[in-house]
Amino acid sequence: MTEQDWYLQQCNITQYILRNSAVFKGEMATHISDEIRLIVVADQKPTQKIYTDILNAIRLKEEQVLILTPSQLIIPASDIKTVIWFIDITPDENWQNHLTIQTSSLDVLANTPQQKRQLWRQLCQYENYFHPEPQ
C-alpha cells in the first residue's frame, strides 16, 4: 500500500479503479442497430467512387453501413451477424470462417479487374445478408 493509498483510506475515501481505459481513448463499444447490413473496417472512411458504386450495386444506403477503424472493432466475432468488409486491413484469426470480405485498398481494387471479380463473387455469396427475407 502506497502512502497515498494509506492516506485516502484513513480519510474514508473510496478509490475507484478504471477497468476499461479504452473508453477514454475513443474505443467505446459500438452498438450495431438492426438496420446495419454491412460493417466496413478501414483506417479511414472510404471516399472513392468505387466504394459508392459497390454500395449502389448491392442496393445499400449509407445508413445501412457502419464504418469502423480497426481499433473500434472490439466486438467479439461470435457476436456479429453482419457481413464485415475489411478494406486494406488484415483481420486476425478470430475473424476467419466468419462473414468476412477482404480487399486491398480501394484504389488498387478500382484498377484490378481480377480483384473486382473476386469481390463481386463474395458479395453475391452474402446477398441474403444484405437483403434478408421478411419474417
Side-chain angles (χ1 to χ4, degrees), residues 7-19:
Y7 182 75
L8 291 172
Q9 185 180 19
Q10 296 305 311
C11 294
N12 288 327
I13 297 175
T14 304
Q15 293 186 68
Y16 293 95
I17 298 171
L18 183 61
R19 292 187 186 147

Side-chain angles (χ1 to χ4, degrees), residues 29-40:
T30 304
H31 171 70
I32 301 172
S33 72
D34 293 337
E35 289 78 35
I36 299 298
R37 297 288 176 241
L38 176 67
I39 298 173
V40 173

Side-chain angles (χ1 to χ4, degrees), residues 48-51 53-54 85 103-117 119:
Q48 294 87 338
K49 183 182 181 317
I50 189 168
Y51 174 75
D53 291 345
I54 290 167
W85 179 12
T103 62
S104 57
S105 73
L106 293 178
D107 296 326
V108 171
L109 180 66
N111 296 308
T112 313
Q114 181 180 356
Q115 287 186 19
K116 285 185 202 176
R117 283 191 294 274
L119 172 62

Side-chain angles (χ1 to χ4, degrees), residues 92-130:
D92 63 26
E93 65 273 356
N94 295 334
W95 298 100
Q96 301 303 323
N97 301 323
H98 195 71
L99 302 170
T100 59
I101 297 171
Q102 183 180 353
T103 62
S104 57
S105 73
L106 293 178
D107 296 326
V108 171
L109 180 66
N111 296 308
T112 313
Q114 181 180 356
Q115 287 186 19
K116 285 185 202 176
R117 283 191 294 274
Q118 181 180 357
L119 172 62
W120 189 250
R121 280 192 291 271
Q122 289 179 305
L123 292 170
C124 289
Q125 175 185 353
Y126 296 133
E127 183 177 11
N128 292 335
Y129 289 91
F130 302 135

Side-chain angles (χ1 to χ4, degrees), residues 22-33:
V23 169
F24 290 111
K25 296 177 186 172
E27 299 175 4
M28 298 185 338
T30 304
H31 171 70
I32 301 172
S33 72

Side-chain angles (χ1 to χ4, degrees), residues 39-59:
I39 298 173
V40 173
V41 180
D43 286 325
Q44 48 188 273
K45 182 179 180 182
T47 56
Q48 294 87 338
K49 183 182 181 317
I50 189 168
Y51 174 75
T52 309
D53 291 345
I54 290 167
L55 292 185
N56 288 335
I58 59 176
R59 300 183 329 269

